[in-house]
Amino acid sequence: MKKNGVRAVVFGILLALATGLVVYGIADGGFRDVKNKAIRICNECIGIG
Amino acid sequence: MFISGIKDRFGRFARRYTQLIAAVLYNLNIKGFFTGKIYQGDIKGLCAPGLNCYSCPGAVLSCPLGSLQSGLVSAGLKFPFYAVGTLLLFGLLLGRFICGFLCPFGFLQELIYKIPVPKLKKGKVTRILSYLKYVILVAFVIVIPLVKLAPGFCKYICPVGTFEGGIPLTIKNEALRPLLGFLFSWKMFILALVLLLCMFCFRAFCRFVCPLGAIYSLFNPISFFGVRVNMNKCIGCNKCARDCKLDVRKVCDRECVQCGECIGKCPTSAIGYGIRYKDFRRM
């Protein structure tokens, strides 16, 4: 059960980090950047180059 | 919470329906398939958990891997905090449960595997090949975007982009056809190879190539929800790993896509879906 406890702590830290990254990313314009890339046809993705 | 009695009710069919529903939800812009134009609404800033090309005419969400590469291409100007955070969040919450339940390309591979041809069984070679996806992750998803400033995986490998984006767009969008060249032929070759291989080898792309699966696999040992083993019931017969078509050594290791096929095969009903950090620990 000790192993599980360590995992829970790692999980908690990473979850806080992930939430922080998402929140900071949105504030930093990351959501807009992803959207701007995704609303245009990606030439590399479809094989044009 | 531990759900072990799901082998009949919430078993194979429920997973098929979940995969189908996920594929439809990711690609709700049905109109796009007829017009040859991609969706441009605001929600496209959200990443889907599974591999689904954002240049698919139906896609209403972004590809997490494409977003990460695109972010890394411009990492010199701005680090892709949002894309990295989203991948981290998906991995922590569900791990490779996403591969088993929420990935349209995984679903397609499983359907192709139903074609009645001789099947390749797992072994030492497939086990070694399963490490290839980590090499692809580092080389094509991280290094090439940072060094060559191009989304390496999308550009040179991704069969999903060809299948979901390249083919439907070039069929409906005449303006794109004159632009097709060697790269498109190369990507069509990769797609054909992957689909052919999937007829003989279960989820060959997920096991050997997919960098998104490689990312999520790192979180399998700590993911919040997924397949769990009740150690009080487990007798250590290892039937779960032996009967699994993937290169797993134990339930919920890095190769496990948490499909739950082993739930019904466990002689002591020790396996089920559940939440970690409660009563049950990993096998």
Side-chain angles (χ1 to χ4, degrees):
Chain A
M1 291 310 266
K2 194 180 171 190
K3 205 174 171 186
N4 221 18
V6 174
R7 280 210 183 103
V9 172
V10 173
F11 176 83
I13 292 169
L14 288 175
L15 190 65
L17 177 70
T19 312
L21 283 172
V22 171
V23 171
Y24 181 78
I26 291 171
D28 194 38
F31 182 88
R32 188 194 56 227
D33 295 342
V34 168
K35 185 196 145 196
N36 285 344
K37 170 70 182 167
I39 61 170
R40 292 177 178 85
I41 291 174
C42 166
N43 289 341
E44 290 92 348
C45 301
I46 67 168
I48 287 176
Chain B
M1 190 178 89
F2 188 72
I3 317 160
S4 63
I6 59 163
K7 49 194 164 197
D8 300 322
R9 296 188 308 277
F10 187 73
R12 198 170 296 160
F13 292 108
R15 192 165 76 86
R16 288 277 174 272
Y17 284 123
T18 311
Q19 287 175 305
L20 181 64
I21 290 166
V24 171
L25 287 178
Y26 292 169
N27 296 290
L28 269 178
N29 184 41
I30 309 294
K31 192 177 75 179
F33 289 106
F34 299 100
T35 59
K37 289 184 178 153
I38 63 171
Y39 177 73
Q40 297 185 315
D42 281 338
I43 60 164
K44 219 163 179 188
L46 292 172
C47 291
L51 198 60
N52 191 73
C53 184
Y54 44 33
S55 285
C56 171
V60 293
L61 299 172
S62 281
C63 169
L65 211 54
S67 303
L68 176 66
Q69 288 170 88
S70 145
L72 289 175
V73 165
S74 50
L77 304 169
K78 192 161 81 175
F79 186 80
F81 292 106
Y82 173 68
V84 172
T86 304
L87 278 169
L88 198 58
L89 208 52
F90 285 147
L92 284 169
L93 294 178
L94 297 171
R96 290 198 83 179
F97 178 87
I98 293 167
C99 305
F101 280 80
L102 303 172
C103 181
F105 202 64
F107 180 42
L108 177 70
Q109 289 175 82
E110 287 184 15
L111 293 180
I112 290 171
Y113 189 72
K114 285 185 180 293
I115 296 171
V117 290
K119 307 296 180 189
L120 285 173
K121 287 191 175 151
K122 65 177 178 182
K124 230 175 201 173
V125 176
T126 56
R127 182 79 190 170
I128 293 167
L129 277 174
S130 71
Y131 289 98
L132 179 66
K133 59 181 172 292
Y134 299 100
V135 177
I136 292 173
L137 169 66
V138 174
F140 287 86
V141 177
I142 299 170
V143 175
I144 292 181
L146 286 174
V147 176
K148 285 194 77 179
L149 303 182
F153 182 74
C154 293
K155 188 171 180 178
Y156 303 114
I157 299 176
C158 187
V160 184
T162 319
F163 180 75
E164 293 183 348
I167 295 173
L169 281 177
T170 48
I171 288 173
K172 293 304 292 184
N173 195 331
E174 283 180 25
L176 292 173
R177 281 181 223 160
L179 304 172
L180 302 180
F182 172 76
L183 194 61
F184 187 77
S185 307
W186 166 251
K187 288 196 71 181
M188 283 297 286
F189 168 73
I190 297 268
L191 173 65
L193 191 68
V194 166
L195 296 182
L196 190 70
L197 199 58
C198 289
M199 270 201 290
F200 303 96
C201 185
F202 185 69
R203 277 180 167 248
F205 176 77
C206 308
R207 287 159 73 183
F208 312 135
V209 182
C210 184
L212 189 60
I215 294 172
Y216 290 150
S217 77
L218 303 175
F219 297 99
N220 251 3
I222 56 167
S223 67
F224 184 68
F225 181 80
V227 174
R228 303 288 175 253
V229 178
N230 182 343
M231 295 309 285
N232 297 324
K233 286 184 178 178
C234 179
I235 53 169
C237 68
N238 212 30
K239 187 170 167 50
C240 44
R242 261 199 331 269
D243 285 0
C244 181
K245 293 195 273 293
L246 300 165
D247 303 285
V248 300
R249 287 208 167 128
K250 54 187 176 183
V251 173
C252 212
D253 71 1
R254 65 176 178 84
E255 286 303 310
C256 177
V257 297
Q258 314 200 24
C259 63
E261 292 279 329
C262 51
I263 293 174
K265 291 175 183 167
C266 178
T268 58
S269 301
I271 310 171
Y273 286 101
I275 291 169
R276 200 186 292 276
Y277 314 117
K278 198 119 192 205
D279 305 322
F280 294 88
R281 61 193 169 97
R282 200 169 65 94
M283 187 177 170

